[in-house]
Amino acid sequence: MDFTLSEEQTALQETVRRFAQTELPDIAREVEETDESPGADVMHRFAELGLLGVNLPEAYGGGGMSHFEAVLVLEEVAKVSIGVAFPIFESCFGPALAIANFAPEAMRQEVLPKVCSGDMIVAVSMSEPGAGSALTDLTTKARVEGDRVIINGQKRWCSGAGHSDAYVVYCRLSEDPGAKGIGAVLVEKGADGFTFGKREHHMGFRGVHSADMYFDDVSVPAENIIVPAGGFRKLMEAFDLERCGNTTMSLACAQSAFDYVLNYVQEREQFGKQIIDFQAVQLQIADMKMKLDAARLLLYRAVVNAESGLPSVGESSIAKCFANEMTREVTGKAMQLMGGYGYSREYPMEQKMRDSWGWGIAGGSIDIQKTNIASALVGRRFNQRTK
């Protein structure tokens, strides 16, 4: 095992860090204040620098790099802003990977170059009012009629809903029960019968749109089927990689909070000395650093072991679960060390803490990850149903 970055990886990390810290803070402040997503100019700047689709094949306009390099890129941007980094997350770890791995070739050639050029944002739509953790209970249906697919149903908790240009919609493509009937269809914004409810505003994740989505006899070409009925397992394999993106966002929240507070405790003075000179502060700082390093190594293990394909459900769930809990703890400790300054909106810590809590809910809750981990250990799924 080699735990050091290569020269190329170090150069990539430093280049993205320099760009993020010099060009993105003002944009990040605007996103936080307005709760609006970054504009097209930001997307095209990302594309110009090769930050979109880092781990997508070069044949589709991607960077042709590994999942690991995508992690390095995403973390540096997300340290500045979750909202600004979200398009990179979607292009490297979200629905774009499902399309790249499982969609028909014609769809890959049509959609992925637009994602990498910053001209299209694709979101994933999974949850419903009655199907969140119990995802196989989803009721949105899609029936094939000739060369068309007709979709009816309602979706909820889609990050990017109303703002993204297209959606990977998990739906029931056959009458088979449970996972056997589930597949996915690509639906573009503006399709007849495809509408959005009132936009929601969350505690954190400002700049990331969310709204209910309604499908009323939405008709799309049959070629828009990404995975047919029975392909739920494939979709969840791609989702294992999305968990690594979620883990990276959690890590970025915590790392940026730690970096800020480490500087703060060396500048802030009480009782005539820097507060880092108090042993209680030293213990908190050391504990935060240990948790950060552990989370980073779990993430790196998951993505490096996935270089030949997609990560395992066990390793990705362990990484996500640990990072989700760690980021809440680290940002909470950082706020406490800053006292009233940490609680003030004039300083970045309260935003870091708000954002950190969202990742343990998004992409499968912390407790669901623990169930996944136990399932991977014993080699079978657990039935959560009462009947």
Side-chain angles (χ1 to χ4, degrees), residues 9-11 38 51 70 82 84 114 129 139 190 209 215 223-224 238 244 252 258 289 326 358 371:
Q9 290 167 342
T10 300
L51 306 185
I82 293 301
V84 175
K114 293 179 182 178
T139 59
H209 287 232
F215 301 84
E223 291 80 8
N224 280 30
C244 293
F258 177 79
K289 174 60 175 172
M326 176 278 299
T371 299

Side-chain angles (χ1 to χ4, degrees), residues 30-71:
E30 183 178 357
V31 167
E32 183 66 19
E33 290 170 4
T34 64
D35 201 8
E36 292 298 332
S37 302
D41 55 335
V42 177
M43 294 293 295
H44 291 140
R45 181 66 174 138
F46 285 166
E48 178 186 341
L49 294 172
L51 306 185
L52 300 176
V54 172
N55 49 340
L56 292 178
E58 292 182 74
Y60 304 121
M65 289 185 269
S66 70
H67 302 325
F68 184 71
E69 274 80 31
V71 161

Side-chain angles (χ1 to χ4, degrees), residues 125-130 138-141 152-156 212-215:
S125 176
M126 303 169 66
S127 298
E128 297 179 359
L138 65 82
T139 59
T140 296
K141 294 184 177 180
N152 283 280
Q154 179 182 353
K155 289 291 185 180
R156 179 168 290 173
D212 278 4
M213 302 164 60
Y214 302 97
F215 301 84

Side-chain angles (χ1 to χ4, degrees), residues 316-339:
S316 65
S317 293
I318 289 170
K320 180 185 186 297
C321 186
F322 187 87
N324 289 165
E325 292 185 328
M326 176 278 299
T327 192
R328 294 177 178 183
E329 181 179 348
V330 167
T331 56
K333 286 180 181 293
M335 176 177 283
Q336 190 66 40
L337 287 173
M338 290 183 66

